[in-house]
Amino acid sequence: MNTGTPDAPTPEAIRPYLKEFLSDRNVVDMPAFIWQPILNLFILPKRPKKTAPRYREFWAPEGSPFVIDSLAQCAALEKRLASLSDEPVVVRLGMRYGNPSIEAGLRELCDAGVDRIVGLPLYPQNTRACTGTCREEFERCIDRIAPEGLRRSFVDEYWNAPGYIEALAASVRRSWAHAAGSKLVVSFHSVPVSFAKRGDTYVEATKATARLLAEALGLSSADVLTTYQSRFDSRKWQGPLLVPELERLAREGVRDVAVVCPGFSVDCIETSFEVGIEAAEAYRAAAQDAGVKGARFTYIPALGADNACMDALSDVVMRAACACGE
């Protein structure tokens, strides 16, 4: 399971996707009588037109890379699970918003005659706006459509699963070689600060992920920064924010920066555009203003169907499947 994407890179397709996404109380927890007029009168008429060019730039001839890469993950995970199990294994994709939906994926599994279902949100760290809302939708749909006796299990997070950090570290090494004076920025999607006050453990998990990654790479804490990006509205969001930190590094004379985003299992608008293009441009511009020569920015792609990551996830799923019904 993942967040989802519009069916096409057009305002007409973005608008219903955005409405579904921003109507979720796990994402925007304002009272509906306050939020819905704001959403319908001010955000939905304007924001789809603003974001459409980004989607068009991100889109591939075959469709959304987000969906294409997610389907590749499904195929890779199904192949690995089949090699580990004595029983047939079926893996299907479900998006929390848009298509294919979580309900559609669950119906395919039920039609295939499975006796156990594992819900796997592809968010390494658990937060209510991602894993939490996927769990709610998973439970709602499975209660309505699953046959009696079907066993279920759910994976809340996997940042600390055996093999995951090692897979992440290997991806960093493939894309970027640390040198004296260079910095690795580990950036995550930000969440409202209010989430933590309600018991959300996301921030602690992101910081632990960054710390373990630094240890796996043999980097000192001074050479690894944890930041957040993609703040949406005027609420107080978790920081420090990515772009101001990159600009600060440039002013301090850091000429080699790499950014990895371990909160994303596949690349999307937030990583490919906001980090890979906008954040990179902000860093280079700040470096130029500071007189830093030869400034280099590296975006490290999401793991996607990376072999080592799929090995780690197959182990997570097998453990969850064995726990079904216990």
Side-chain angles (χ1 to χ4, degrees):
M1 291 176 279
N2 215 322
T3 302
T5 186
D7 291 335
T10 64
E12 294 76 18
I14 295 169
R15 190 168 291 108
Y17 167 78
L18 195 62
K19 181 176 178 61
E20 183 182 11
F21 173 59
L22 294 178
S23 294
D24 187 344
R25 291 293 298 274
N26 290 294
V27 176
V28 181
D29 56 0
M30 293 173 59
F33 73 92
I34 296 175
W35 174 242
Q36 284 298 317
I38 296 173
L39 176 62
N40 289 294
L41 295 177
F42 299 100
I43 296 176
L44 292 179
K46 298 179 180 179
R47 192 171 179 86
K49 295 178 182 178
K50 181 179 178 180
T51 57
R54 298 182 179 186
Y55 278 104
R56 284 196 294 269
E57 187 172 347
F58 179 63
W59 225 253
E62 302 82 8
S64 168
F66 187 83
V67 174
I68 294 167
D69 292 346
S70 296
L71 290 171
Q73 287 181 318
C74 285
L77 190 58
E78 184 175 275
K79 183 177 179 179
R80 278 165 174 75
L81 289 171
S83 70
L84 297 172
S85 177
D86 296 329
E87 304 173 275
V89 177
V90 182
V91 179
R92 292 293 182 268
L93 178 64
M95 298 297 193
R96 177 60 183 88
Y97 317 104
N99 297 304
S101 67
I102 290 174
E103 180 173 342
L106 287 171
R107 287 190 182 279
E108 286 193 41
L109 294 178
C110 291
D111 291 344
V114 301
D115 60 0
R116 287 170 289 174
I117 291 182
V118 174
L120 175 66
L122 289 170
Y123 312 104
Q125 301 81 21
N126 184 355
T127 180
R128 59 176 287 195
C130 296
T131 302
T133 189
C134 282
R135 178 187 273 274
E136 284 187 6
E137 184 69 2
F138 175 83
E139 296 290 349
R140 183 186 70 81
C141 292
I142 208 169
D143 283 344
R144 190 175 71 253
I145 67 177
E148 186 176 352
L150 182 69
R151 291 175 290 170
R152 69 184 78 169
S153 184
F154 194 89
V155 177
D156 286 311
E157 57 188 3
Y158 58 87
W159 63 270
N160 53 355
Y164 172 72
I165 292 295
E166 290 76 8
L168 189 59
S171 76
V172 174
R173 294 189 195 100
R174 285 194 297 269
S175 298
W176 178 72
H178 177 265
S182 60
K183 303 291 183 182
L184 175 66
V185 181
V186 188
S187 192
F188 299 88
H189 199 296
S190 188
V191 294
V193 171
S194 60
F195 281 15
K197 296 177 181 179
R198 300 180 184 181
D200 196 295
T201 61
Y202 176 75
V203 173
E204 290 85 350
T206 58
K207 292 179 178 179
T209 301
R211 176 179 54 80
L212 291 174
L213 176 60
E215 292 174 0
L217 291 168
L219 300 180
S220 69
S221 58
D223 287 338
V224 180
L225 290 76
T226 302
T227 67
Y228 301 85
Q229 89 277 339
S230 304
R231 181 177 63 182
F232 178 75
D233 54 30
S234 60
R235 289 174 292 176
K236 187 175 181 181
W237 288 67
Q238 179 64 39
L241 295 177
L242 173 62
V243 167
E245 286 298 287
L246 289 173
E247 293 172 337
R248 178 182 65 81
L249 291 176
R251 291 193 298 270
E252 293 176 357
V254 176
R255 65 180 67 245
D256 182 18
V257 171
V259 179
V260 62
C261 299
F264 298 85
S265 64
V266 294
D267 281 314
C268 56
I269 292 294
E270 285 82 358
T271 58
S272 295
F273 192 89
E274 292 184 25
V275 179
I277 297 177
E278 289 186 331
E281 290 175 349
Y283 167 72
R284 293 189 184 106
Q288 183 176 7
D289 290 344
V292 177
K293 304 296 184 181
R296 187 165 71 101
F297 179 98
T298 302
Y299 170 65
I300 297 162
L303 286 170
D306 171 82
N307 288 332
C309 181
M310 292 299 100
D311 288 341
L313 284 182
S314 63
D315 181 66
V316 168
V317 173
M318 288 297 291
R319 292 174 184 272
C322 291
C324 279
E326 292 182 0

